[in-house]
Amino acid sequence: MASNSCGGGSDRQMAAQHRLSVIAGHLQRPSGSNTAVLAAECKGQGSKPFVSSENRTVPRRRQEIMKWNGWGYSDSKFVYNKKGQAEFTGKRYKLSGMIIPGLKDWMENTFGATLQHKAAATPALNSSAVPPPTLNEAFVEELKSTGVPFSADAEDRVFRAHGHCLHEIFALREGKIGRVPDMVVWPNCHSDVVKIVELACKHNVCLIPYGGGTSVSSALECPPEETRSIISLDTSQMNRILWIDEKNLTAHIEAGIIGQDLENLLNESGYCTGHEPDSMEFSSLGGWVATRASGMKKNIYGNIEDLVIRIKMVTPQGVIEKSCQGPRMSTGPDIHHFIMGSEGTLGVITEVTMKIRPVPEYQKYGSVVFPNFEQGVACLREVARQRCAPASIRLMDNEQFKFGHALKPQVSSIFTSFLDGLKKFYITKFKGFDPNRLCVATLLFEGNREKVLQHEKQVYDIAAKFGGLAAGEDNGQRGYMLTFVIAYLRDLGMDYFVIGESFETSVPWDRVLDICRNVKARIIHECKDKGVQFPPLSTCRVTQTYDAGACVYFYFAFNYRGLSDPVHVYEQVEHAAREEILANGGSLSHHHGVGKLRKEWMREAVSSVGMGMLQSVKDYVDPNNIFGSRNLL
Amino acid sequence: MASKVVYSPRDPMLKKRDDFEDVLEERRRSGDLRYALRCYSPVLYKGPTTSKASELKTMVLQSDQLHYVVNQVSRESGVPLDDVQAEASVILEEMAHRLQLSTVRFFAFTLSKVFKAIFRSICVNEEGVQRLQQVVQEHPVVLLPSHRSYMDFLLMSYLMYTYDLPLPAIAAGMDFMGMKVVGEMLRMSGAFFIRRSFGGDKLYWAVFSEYVKTILRNGFAPLEFFLEGTRSRTSKSLTPKLGLLNIAMDPFLKGEVFDVSLVPVSISYERVLEETLYARELLGVPKPKESTSGLFKARRVLSEDYGSIHVYFGPPVSVRSLAEGRVNRSQFSLTPRHIPRRPSEDVHSFVNDAAYRLVRAQEENMVLKPWVLLASLLLQNQGAGQNRGVPLDELIQQAVWLRDLCRQFGAFLHWPDQIPSSEVVSSSLSLHGGLVRVSEDRVYLALEQEPHCSLTAEEELLSQAVVVLSCASYRNQVLHVFLRPALLAAAIHTASSSQKQEVYSSFLFLRNMFSNEFILCPGAAVQDFEEACYLLTKVGALHINQHEVLTAERGHRTLAFLTSILDPFLQGYQMVCSFLCEDATQALTERRFVPAVRAFIIKHLLKGRLRYPEVLSSDLQRNALAALLRLGAVQKVQGGEESGTLKVNRVMLNSLEDTLGGRLSTQKALRAHL
């Protein structure tokens, strides 16, 4: 198999493999053997799945392993230990169990957030705060007869009432619960979904599909004005790989599978999809399709729209799917494009055939330091022009570089710290880089060994033309590792009065610098304007390159001590930042989607005729608004 | 309708304005040489800055914008690319400034000497300077001084140097280049030169706009230009020119900078250096071409007293906040930004509104001296036919009354309250000895010439007109304070009834008629009306209820003053109308309009049918023509043999003239034209 064929002695490969195993290998298995039972119940399935799903990560009761009011696993979080040092708990990540000495100072210096001012979250969900479910008795009765498991338990319902927008998490921490689903169902396969949707139509209940729950567009929020019973359709139990076709390099997969499980299962057979969004530990295949997701390594593997071959979706009008697996077709507008990005408004995606690739023989991280952000962007532009982008290339601005620095774990040996000092001296003193202006690009190369080395040289040569200095593999690797823990950091911030969020856009090359400057400045300006007492963190990075432009990510956070309604202020600032993005030629979203958070700009973004087109599709497919999440339109 | 719009006026008396400091005081105490050679380290823009003039040129020549136009011009004209590129370099060479600190130091030295000799003080609001110091670091800055004198930009740079602010790059008219040495010296102190007209020259436009934008984008230096385009000969603010403002806003609108700060600067002279020069020019003596020797002849100027100067740096206006909700900036993201495009309708109207607001801001922060009030009163007495002067004590009493009215209207009046009014008046009169005479306790305008037997009646009239126009230029400084109430007063005067609706339509008519003459923000008719109503009610001149506008018992004096301040303009416009009706021949062109109408007016003045010599002002005549062209009463023939001639709509002109004279109700008139 591909992964075994390359004489696995390479450290780098080990590191790459380690990254995946970190994500998956250390997981506790959900207790109980309901897996087998449920699989057996699903009679609709003709044959046994190609890869069994015993290793599933997501149990039905997600709250058993995941936080109900924060990001990720319950056992993994940043805390200040007794000595007042920041530490990352648990055993799941490379950073787990490590002390991060720089974090406290960084938090203090950046936000003015000190240990004395703590904003504790409500420790546990108070079930009495959850409104009682509005159940549609007839629907429940008939559902029982199908044997699909369901629950009206408060914890189950609250867990599926939100994504990970700041206001959603903030409300949970305060113990505030709004409209939540009235019931959760766990279909086990496509035919279960068909039955549920039929029943929903028959009894006029509202369905909201739920995959990984990592939405950051308010897409999972229950519309407060919805009077029908709301059923959250949790796809997590539809998580099998049904077959792998090695001749065509495709796999047919149930849409509820989450990213890390999908990669692990494929890896067992020597394959991968190469689709690695930052949320891949938790987000699901169906969710990717429904939001037009993008993965970090899209330069090699493509975004989700490049990866899917065939999609099966259950709608109130029936099942939509294509009749063949041709790699491309001219059969009118591609119906997949009504499905991709439909954000749960048209139906439930149940199965997907997607491309797979052999696991790469060799992986190598890298990083480049540039004297300033302008030079860095120019370099990325040149890399894109020459179409030689590595699997991933990301450029962080100076603030993020400093942030990354603050997250360096404690170094164990004097020698490493000496080396670090030497590097710093070389870059700032010898090369004359201004530590307050320099920025870093992180790189990930993938492929066969020779080609990777060749490719690496090509990219470093381009970087050199823009004043870039190679800054080692460690920096690169740490950069990528941070994308998985950064979401945990928000919870720490919230413990100390700091709230923040990230948002993204895509923009033509000639606008990249302008949009970065203006949006960052707008955030600072608006914070001041809205009475934020401390200077905010306002930073960005370029995360993807395309022929005609780039994807830009903004991070922004501030200390809200002294504000009476911090979430409102936060929302005003984010709103202003989005306006600024649009005014500077950026898109409404590159891959997060529209949800309900960005709906107000949809008409402007796609024109009235465009809205009419989408609306007429919705009207035909779902005339009674069974899929009533009210996203997008 | 007016009453439906809620207008919540700020009380103009509560307008907060900063205090002044005299910069010459320090200069009189320490040596000028040391001052000129002192360490000059201005605060700089926080962004990446380029500091060398040569780098700036390279950036312009290598810009995408210029490349695009060079290619286009080469393709269209068939001239080889290199030649067009070379032409662009030549244009840039002719245009670009070459700032040199040594020249600046030279100016710092000489100007100190000159200023101390001719001015009593140069007063600057230092809070404004501090605001500017702040904002210069934050955003690219555009300085927008008012333009009343050649002195303006020398003074601006002098102050920037004095306060350790970065020296501005100043857009100057090409005519300065006629003065070889001075032109080059100005260039080395930061001026760059623009041809007065370059209509369809794409290449020139491209070089010019890119040069200006590069200065802004790179925080090279504050940009300075005159919104009014040229020096106002009348001391009234001129209708703003939009070209440069458009260019200056472009980097913001296209997202190349986060914001641009516009700083209106009001420079008021107690006595304008070019006082009688302007009056002559307005009366038809052609403008002398700027020449170095001409400037040296001005040496006798050095022995005169020109009083004080007040410079008020207004609060910076952020283009971003101006554009908020007005301009959809995403429109610029659909075509490459380096391809020149005409501004869209909404951008054009946005820039136009902004320009008016800025000129209004200049007006409002212009310091008014007591003399300005005296000039107004003397001219009114003159116009009322009292050629025999005003008793001094009566003038003092009137002036005090007017001072109080002015203050209630929120004027920025510098009347020293600690000094007795009589002294204030007499010291003002003595400073303007060339224009007024005091004898036997009566005050006269200095109209009487030494008995010259050789003078014809016409020549005598013109020489009187020089004095009247000079006085008028001082009165004009206060016009913006009285304008809106005066339009209302005149509207009440001409309206056929006291119905509010009726008065409002008269007001609208007059406002529309005079919108080339005065700064009246487009689309702000209702606010202007409400403001006028508010002010006149406040001073107790009017009672206004839901339906009616009634004159109060004690309001007659105020209303009479306001009506008569506008009267010369009303009469002047009527004159122009009747000239066009009666005297205009078939072949009247725009160029021959002014001499012809002047001759017509002289005739009327000599026959005693017209009382105001200031109607002879070519500025007024041109503005009237522009208004008539705008209203469609006169049309310019385009193309054909008669191209450029003016075609007159007699019916419309007649009714306009009658309406202005109050002989026709505006409602009918409005129905007829609008």
Side-chain angles (χ1 to χ4, degrees):
Chain A
M1 282 201 186
S3 61
N4 298 335
S5 63
C6 65
S10 155
D11 282 354
R12 281 152 197 142
Q13 197 201 346
M14 296 277 284
Q17 294 296 337
H18 179 73
R19 177 165 175 268
L20 287 172
S21 62
V22 157
I23 295 164
H26 50 323
L27 292 176
Q28 283 177 304
R29 247 151 242 172
S31 58
S33 57
N34 53 3
T35 321
V37 179
L38 284 174
E41 274 172 3
C42 206
K43 297 268 159 33
Q45 223 69 51
S47 54
K48 277 192 89 179
F50 179 84
V51 178
S52 75
S53 55
E54 275 153 34
N55 293 7
R56 74 165 58 114
T57 299
V58 184
R60 270 198 268 162
R61 290 182 62 76
R62 294 178 189 232
Q63 55 273 31
E64 285 169 1
I65 62 160
M66 287 186 229
K67 295 192 191 85
W68 71 280
N69 64 352
W71 179 262
Y73 301 108
S74 310
D75 56 16
S76 301
K77 59 183 175 217
F78 284 96
V79 290
Y80 284 123
N81 63 21
K82 286 183 189 114
K83 287 185 202 156
Q85 287 172 311
E87 188 183 327
F88 193 61
T89 65
K91 294 198 183 85
R92 295 172 188 272
Y93 299 90
K94 213 177 164 190
L95 204 62
S96 296
M98 292 211 198
I99 304 272
I100 303 122
L103 188 57
K104 183 174 148 241
D105 285 347
W106 182 80
M107 289 276 285
E108 272 190 38
N109 297 337
T110 312
F111 299 111
T114 59
L115 292 185
Q116 290 84 39
H117 301 279
K118 192 162 183 188
T122 314
L125 175 66
N126 175 6
S127 298
S128 62
V130 183
T134 317
L135 294 177
N136 182 318
E137 297 299 337
F139 174 81
V140 178
E141 277 312 305
E142 284 206 51
L143 185 66
K144 268 182 196 159
S145 70
T146 64
V148 176
F150 63 89
S151 157
D153 168 65
E155 284 187 11
D156 287 334
R157 289 159 55 218
V158 168
F159 200 100
R160 286 158 187 83
H162 67 87
H164 283 272
C165 288
L166 175 89
H167 66 269
E168 295 171 320
I169 300 300
F170 197 89
L172 288 175
R173 289 172 59 96
E174 304 248 288
K176 286 185 193 144
I177 313 288
R179 179 78 162 101
V180 305
D182 299 298
M183 214 167 97
V184 182
V185 294
W186 286 272
N188 197 38
C189 59
H190 172 77
S191 60
D192 282 357
V193 175
V194 173
K195 282 179 226 158
I196 295 167
V197 173
E198 267 169 18
L199 289 180
C201 293
K202 185 172 166 194
H203 299 288
N204 193 28
V205 298
C206 171
L207 289 179
I208 298 183
Y210 185 91
T214 57
S215 154
V216 282
S217 60
S218 301
L220 291 169
E221 261 178 18
C222 296
E225 66 272 31
E226 181 60 67
T227 52
R228 296 173 294 180
S229 184
I230 300 180
I231 315 297
S232 178
L233 192 153
D234 185 328
T235 60
S236 61
Q237 308 308 304
M238 309 198 303
N239 54 15
R240 285 149 292 220
I241 294 177
L242 298 175
W243 47 255
I244 290 176
D245 177 347
E246 301 195 44
K247 293 217 168 62
N248 293 310
L249 286 180
T250 53
H252 191 62
I253 308 150
E254 287 184 312
I257 195 165
I258 58 164
Q260 55 169 321
D261 289 356
L262 175 60
E263 286 307 291
N264 285 327
L265 291 174
L266 285 175
N267 284 174
E268 285 171 15
S269 318
Y271 294 103
C272 67
T273 63
H275 185 71
E276 295 185 16
D278 287 358
S279 61
M280 72 176 287
E281 286 176 282
F282 305 105
S283 57
S284 69
L285 171 56
W288 299 338
V289 174
T291 56
R292 297 180 65 87
S294 168
M296 161 183 122
K297 299 195 289 198
K298 72 94 194 154
N299 292 337
I300 292 183
Y301 300 96
N303 287 318
I304 195 72
E305 67 272 21
D306 311 310
L307 287 166
V308 295
I309 298 291
R310 219 167 81 83
I311 306 172
K312 207 189 260 189
M313 178 166 80
V314 181
T315 77
Q317 288 286 15
V319 176
I320 177 172
E321 58 188 323
K322 287 185 184 174
S323 69
C324 75
Q325 296 190 57
R328 179 184 188 272
M329 36 185 123
S330 173
T331 45
D334 190 340
I335 55 161
H336 282 172
H337 285 286
F338 290 123
I339 300 170
M340 285 188 289
S342 60
E343 303 192 357
T345 60
L346 298 178
V348 187
I349 296 148
T350 54
E351 290 170 15
V352 176
T353 309
M354 72 190 293
K355 298 180 198 169
I356 55 171
R357 299 290 304 164
V359 170
E361 180 186 311
Y362 186 66
Q363 266 192 330
K364 190 175 183 189
Y365 290 97
S367 64
V368 182
V369 184
F370 292 98
N372 55 48
F373 191 65
E374 289 78 8
Q375 296 279 69
V377 170
C379 172
L380 261 61
R381 205 281 162 262
E382 185 56 31
V383 166
R385 196 195 313 274
Q386 296 190 19
R387 289 198 172 167
C388 63
S392 170
I393 178 166
R394 288 177 172 178
L395 179 73
M396 300 182 240
D397 70 359
N398 183 259
E399 288 84 358
Q400 273 194 36
F401 162 74
K402 288 180 182 162
F403 169 52
H405 222 67
L407 280 174
K408 257 191 181 172
Q410 198 161 33
V411 283
S412 38
S413 76
I414 298 174
F415 182 65
T416 357
S417 87
F418 172 74
L419 265 186
D420 278 354
L422 211 62
K423 267 188 243 162
K424 195 175 165 191
F425 177 82
Y426 176 72
I427 286 174
T428 58
K429 295 293 181 310
F430 191 73
K431 281 288 173 181
F433 285 18
D434 178 351
N436 289 314
R437 295 199 64 202
L438 63 81
C439 72
V440 181
T442 58
L443 309 166
L444 172 62
F445 298 92
E446 239 180 53
N448 81 39
R449 195 184 152 86
E450 263 166 67
K451 278 196 184 139
V452 163
L453 295 178
Q454 215 178 350
H455 194 178
E456 191 187 22
K457 184 175 180 312
Q458 187 185 7
V459 172
Y460 282 120
D461 284 350
I462 294 173
K465 277 189 210 146
F466 296 91
L469 295 173
E473 285 178 66
D474 287 356
N475 282 321
Q477 195 180 357
R478 205 176 50 251
Y480 288 102
M481 185 261 301
L482 285 182
T483 56
F484 292 99
V485 296
I486 197 167
Y488 286 99
L489 201 66
R490 183 168 80 179
D491 293 332
L492 176 73
M494 285 166 101
D495 287 338
Y496 294 93
F497 286 94
V498 174
I499 51 177
E501 180 94 278
S502 62
F503 45 89
E504 39 72 41
T505 186
S506 56
V507 64
W509 277 117
D510 72 316
R511 288 271 187 174
V512 171
L513 281 177
D514 291 329
I515 208 169
C516 291
R517 176 195 342 99
N518 291 348
V519 173
K520 288 198 285 183
R522 178 76 182 262
I523 289 169
I524 293 168
H525 190 80
E526 292 287 331
C527 281
K528 204 169 156 192
D529 212 49
K530 303 285 180 296
V532 176
Q533 308 282 309
F534 300 85
L537 173 72
S538 171
T539 144
C540 72
R541 60 161 105 164
V542 181
T543 60
Q544 289 290 7
T545 62
Y546 291 88
D547 286 348
C551 169
V552 180
Y553 240 90
F554 294 95
Y555 292 82
F556 119 74
F558 61 85
N559 184 334
Y560 67 86
R561 262 193 295 141
L563 295 180
S564 59
D565 191 352
V567 171
H568 181 62
V569 170
Y570 166 80
E571 282 172 346
Q572 284 179 309
V573 177
E574 192 192 344
H575 188 273
R578 182 58 62 180
E579 295 263 322
E580 192 62 32
I581 286 175
L582 298 174
N584 283 277
S587 64
L588 191 49
S589 171
H590 171 261
H591 62 272
H592 282 173
V594 175
K596 289 179 271 290
L597 192 63
R598 289 177 273 274
K599 242 165 93 166
E600 63 177 292
W601 292 288
M602 224 1 221
R603 186 171 296 275
E604 195 187 319
V606 302
S607 82
S608 288
V609 179
M611 282 292 270
M613 278 183 176
L614 297 178
Q615 187 63 53
S616 63
V617 170
K618 167 77 180 172
D619 292 345
Y620 169 72
V621 174
D622 184 17
N624 296 319
N625 197 27
I626 297 301
F627 289 92
S629 59
R630 303 186 195 226
N631 292 333
L632 205 62
L633 293 173
Chain B
M1 174 44 211
S3 58
K4 280 185 195 143
V5 178
V6 186
Y7 173 69
S8 56
R10 293 169 302 143
D11 192 329
M13 275 185 84
L14 299 177
K15 254 176 222 158
K16 240 346 237 135
R17 288 186 179 107
D18 310 330
D19 296 328
F20 287 100
E21 299 282 337
D22 180 9
V23 289
L24 287 188
E25 208 177 291
E26 167 70 23
R27 293 276 39 77
R28 293 189 211 279
R29 267 184 286 152
S30 66
D32 291 330
L33 197 61
R34 246 180 80 193
Y35 163 75
L37 294 176
R38 85 201 160 88
C39 168
Y40 166 71
S41 54
V43 286
L44 291 174
Y45 177 53
K46 63 164 184 206
T49 55
T50 331
S51 52
K52 284 206 203 95
S54 57
E55 268 176 61
L56 189 66
K57 281 188 210 166
T58 321
M59 286 170 95
V60 174
L61 289 175
Q62 289 177 351
S63 67
D64 295 340
Q65 282 80 343
L66 196 58
H67 274 299
Y68 179 85
V69 176
V70 165
N71 275 312
Q72 194 186 23
V73 169
S74 160
R75 228 181 309 121
E76 284 169 8
S77 64
V79 177
L81 206 59
D82 289 347
D83 294 3
V84 182
Q85 183 74 39
E87 196 188 330
S89 304
V90 172
I91 294 173
L92 186 60
E93 213 48 51
E94 174 196 275
M95 181 180 315
H97 75 79
R98 282 193 295 273
L99 187 66
Q100 268 189 354
L101 203 54
S102 54
T103 317
V104 174
R105 293 190 191 285
F106 169 79
F107 270 113
F109 179 77
T110 8
L111 286 178
S112 293
K113 295 276 180 225
V114 173
F115 287 164
K116 281 189 285 189
I118 65 178
F119 296 116
R120 293 181 193 172
S121 61
I122 298 176
C123 299
V124 178
N125 66 325
E126 292 200 337
E127 279 164 74
V129 173
Q130 280 155 18
R131 284 192 296 257
L132 188 56
Q133 270 159 350
Q134 278 297 315
V135 87
V136 154
Q137 300 171 53
E138 289 297 312
H139 306 296
V141 166
V142 182
L143 295 168
L144 300 166
S146 59
H147 204 8
R148 302 286 174 269
S149 167
Y150 277 142
M151 204 59 119
D152 293 327
F153 60 88
L154 294 177
L155 182 62
M156 282 296 292
S157 297
Y158 182 81
L159 291 177
M160 298 294 271
Y161 175 81
T162 305
Y163 286 107
D164 255 345
L165 284 158
L167 289 160
I170 309 149
M174 204 61 168
D175 23 11
F176 276 109
M177 289 304 291
M179 306 186 270
K180 281 184 205 88
V181 182
V182 174
E184 281 313 306
M185 282 189 67
L186 290 177
R187 200 194 275 284
M188 286 187 277
S189 61
F192 63 92
F193 295 97
I194 319 163
R195 295 180 194 161
R196 278 276 174 211
S197 61
F198 43 90
D201 191 339
K202 266 187 214 157
L203 188 64
Y204 192 88
W205 177 260
V207 174
F208 162 59
S209 62
E210 192 50 27
Y211 182 68
V212 173
K213 284 187 237 175
T214 309
I215 289 174
L216 279 177
R217 272 197 292 259
N218 294 286
F220 179 84
L223 176 69
E224 176 181 318
F225 65 89
F226 299 103
L227 264 180
E228 299 164 285
T230 179
R231 291 171 299 154
S232 167
R233 271 68 169 170
T234 57
S235 287
K236 269 186 301 149
S237 295
L238 303 178
T239 308
K241 303 278 182 293
L242 304 184
L244 261 162
L245 191 61
N246 244 320
I247 297 175
M249 285 184 168
D250 197 68
F252 165 73
L253 293 176
K254 289 188 176 159
E256 293 163 340
V257 295
F258 180 71
D259 200 354
V260 172
S261 291
L262 308 173
V263 181
V265 184
S266 312
I267 307 175
S268 23
Y269 297 90
E270 191 165 11
R271 229 187 113 188
V272 182
L273 270 81
E274 295 98 326
E275 185 182 80
T276 51
L277 213 65
Y278 286 158
R280 293 223 166 80
E281 220 178 280
L282 290 171
L283 288 167
V285 183
K287 177 181 172 187
K289 204 166 189 291
E290 274 85 0
S291 66
T292 309
S293 60
L295 200 80
F296 282 113
K297 265 181 221 154
R299 275 200 54 157
R300 67 181 166 82
V301 165
L302 287 179
S303 54
E304 293 216 24
D305 178 1
Y306 286 89
S308 52
I309 304 178
H310 283 83
V311 183
Y312 194 95
F313 289 89
V317 179
S318 134
V319 176
R320 174 172 279 271
S321 57
L322 284 179
E324 184 73 48
R326 282 288 313 261
V327 181
N328 176 9
R329 283 184 284 147
S330 64
Q331 65 181 287
F332 300 101
S333 62
L334 299 178
T335 44
R337 287 177 288 178
H338 64 267
I339 298 179
R341 275 205 302 172
R342 288 200 148 277
S344 63
E345 200 51 52
D346 65 326
V347 172
H348 177 84
S349 91
F350 161 68
V351 176
N352 191 39
D353 288 2
Y356 272 88
R357 270 184 66 170
L358 290 161
V359 175
R360 287 283 294 137
Q362 285 176 357
E363 276 186 336
E364 286 183 355
N365 290 326
M366 205 78 100
V367 168
L368 302 172
K369 286 295 193 172
W371 163 244
V372 165
L373 303 185
L374 300 178
S376 313
L377 291 166
L378 289 168
L379 276 177
Q380 286 201 4
N381 282 313
Q382 174 72 20
Q386 298 173 11
N387 277 332
R388 302 291 5 117
V390 199
L392 183 58
D393 39 357
E394 201 180 314
L395 183 68
I396 293 169
Q397 179 261 324
Q398 283 182 12
V400 168
W401 172 80
L402 190 55
R403 174 195 72 190
D404 296 342
L405 186 67
C406 248
R407 283 186 175 158
Q408 284 185 291
F409 283 2
F412 198 2
L413 185 66
H414 255 229
W415 184 295
D417 283 311
Q418 67 281 14
I419 301 169
S421 307
S422 56
E423 258 175 61
V424 174
V425 170
S426 55
S427 90
S428 291
L429 293 175
S430 68
L431 185 70
H432 295 276
L435 301 177
V436 279
R437 305 247 160 79
V438 187
S439 69
E440 294 160 17
D441 277 344
R442 290 180 82 84
V443 185
Y444 309 86
L445 286 186
L447 299 179
E448 311 303 319
Q449 301 292 316
E450 262 110 271
H452 256 302
C453 40
S454 57
L455 277 183
T456 65
E458 190 180 325
E459 281 167 331
E460 196 184 327
L461 177 68
L462 282 176
S463 76
Q464 288 179 4
V466 169
V467 175
V468 171
L469 279 180
S470 302
C471 275
S473 78
Y474 290 101
R475 180 221 41 216
N476 286 345
Q477 292 180 21
V478 79
L479 268 182
H480 71 91
V481 175
F482 293 123
L483 177 62
R484 277 144 268 264
L487 285 172
L488 179 57
I492 292 168
H493 193 72
T494 50
S496 51
S497 76
S498 60
Q499 290 295 309
K500 198 171 180 182
Q501 180 66 54
E502 187 91 359
V503 172
Y504 179 64
S505 65
S506 291
F507 179 86
L508 262 192
F509 169 80
L510 291 171
R511 189 182 180 281
N512 192 15
M513 201 68 219
F514 286 127
S515 61
N516 293 73
E517 190 74 43
F518 308 113
I519 300 300
L520 291 158
C521 299
V526 175
Q527 284 105 297
D528 283 350
F529 183 70
E530 299 277 316
E531 186 186 321
C533 289
Y534 169 78
L535 290 174
L536 285 177
T537 320
K538 193 180 98 169
V539 300
L542 293 180
H543 293 306
I544 298 172
N545 60 31
Q546 209 59 14
H547 308 290
E548 276 188 308
V549 178
L550 299 166
T551 309
E553 197 50 45
R554 61 199 179 93
H556 288 296
R557 184 177 185 185
T558 310
L559 292 182
F561 170 80
L562 290 173
T563 330
S564 59
I565 209 168
L566 219 51
D567 204 38
F569 297 96
L570 276 165
Q571 303 241 354
Y573 276 50
Q574 288 178 60
M575 266 294 144
V576 171
C577 287
S578 70
F579 160 74
L580 287 167
C581 283
E582 294 165 26
D583 243 40
T585 56
Q586 279 302 315
L588 183 69
T589 60
E590 209 176 354
R591 261 183 50 205
R592 292 196 7 232
F593 166 78
V594 170
V597 76
R598 181 183 295 132
F600 179 83
I601 290 169
I602 288 176
K603 213 165 64 193
H604 278 258
L605 281 166
L606 289 174
K607 283 186 187 154
R609 273 186 245 153
L610 181 67
R611 295 198 304 264
Y612 301 113
E614 62 171 295
V615 174
L616 282 168
S617 157
S618 60
D619 178 67
L620 181 146
Q621 294 151 6
R622 286 207 182 87
N623 289 337
L625 181 63
L628 295 173
L629 281 164
R630 175 169 49 82
L631 295 172
V634 180
Q635 275 170 331
K636 222 186 290 181
V637 180
Q638 305 280 349
E641 266 178 44
E642 295 181 334
S643 185
T645 58
L646 300 171
K647 216 176 122 220
V648 171
N649 177 344
R650 288 210 160 68
V651 182
M652 191 167 169
L653 277 172
N654 267 321
S655 80
L656 281 175
E657 188 189 346
D658 287 347
T659 320
L660 281 168
R663 293 184 292 273
L664 190 68
S665 96
T666 45
Q667 299 238 303
K668 267 184 226 152
L670 284 174
R671 230 171 284 135
H673 325 301
L674 304 175

